[in-house]
Amino acid sequence: MADLRELYQEVILDHTKRPRNFGQLPEPSHRAEGHNPLCGDHLTVTLEITDDCIERVLFEGSGCSISTASASLMTQMIAGKTTDEVSELFEKFHGAVTSSSDSAVDVAALGKLVALAGVRGFPMRVKCASLAWHTLVAAIRGDEEHVTTE
Ligand code: ZN
């Protein structure tokens, strides 16, 4: 288990140092901003959605390593997926990070997102890890207003 934890930390560190899909689309079809006041994380998600398929996704913002890594991993996982697949993935991700630390995590369904399951049991960190997803869901729904974890 120690090896796995190290691997997860590496994934998070890697995405914190070199966030993937960082920036904003010039003409997004969907966009939302999210804010986690408890930690000070702030991010913007811009999307290009055609026929319910996520064609492109970028995120931009500043925050702690967990919120940045989570947003970066999220953009990698959702590109090319349909909005239904994305909601399903969000449910699984949210279920995993809010589950008790001794329950099993669906590694097959979550892929690299499993790296973030380490936040389980730390409610503050769960908000950091979920911010990008809440913002994404708001963007897909077309909620222009600011999303907050509070
Ligand atoms: Zn944070």
Side-chain angles (χ1 to χ4, degrees):
M1 196 59 201
D3 286 350
L4 261 186
R5 211 160 278 170
E6 265 172 44
L7 177 73
Y8 294 163
Q9 270 167 5
E10 250 171 60
V11 170
I12 289 172
L13 205 64
D14 177 38
H15 280 263
T16 306
K17 279 189 185 158
R18 295 187 300 122
R20 316 302 201 276
N21 305 307
F22 195 84
Q24 287 197 39
L25 294 170
E27 287 176 23
S29 61
H30 297 70
R31 177 184 191 283
E33 273 181 54
H35 189 217
N36 174 16
L38 277 183
C39 180
D41 309 317
H42 181 263
L43 50 90
T44 303
V45 173
T46 51
L47 298 153
E48 197 179 299
I49 302 177
T50 314
D51 297 332
D52 286 333
C53 178
I54 315 280
E55 301 279 351
R56 292 191 72 196
V57 52
L58 293 182
F59 85 99
E60 194 172 72
S62 59
C64 65
S65 53
I66 297 289
S67 69
T68 305
S70 177
S72 175
L73 283 162
M74 179 189 82
T75 59
Q76 281 197 320
M77 291 290 293
I78 65 166
K81 286 195 160 51
T82 66
T83 50
D84 281 350
E85 287 168 336
V86 167
S87 343
E88 211 171 288
L89 191 59
F90 169 67
E91 292 299 323
K92 287 197 174 123
F93 173 74
H94 198 256
V97 294
T98 53
S99 63
S100 68
S101 46
D102 54 359
S103 61
V105 174
D106 190 346
V107 179
L110 291 171
K112 274 187 174 181
L113 295 175
V114 164
L116 291 156
V119 302
R120 295 194 298 180
F122 303 95
M124 291 273 292
R125 304 272 91 179
V126 170
K127 291 187 177 178
C128 299
S130 314
L131 178 64
W133 288 89
H134 287 300
T135 310
L136 170 74
V137 168
I140 291 175
R141 275 203 208 115
D143 294 341
E144 283 285 333
E145 61 196 282
H146 288 228
V147 179
T148 169
T149 52
E150 292 311 295

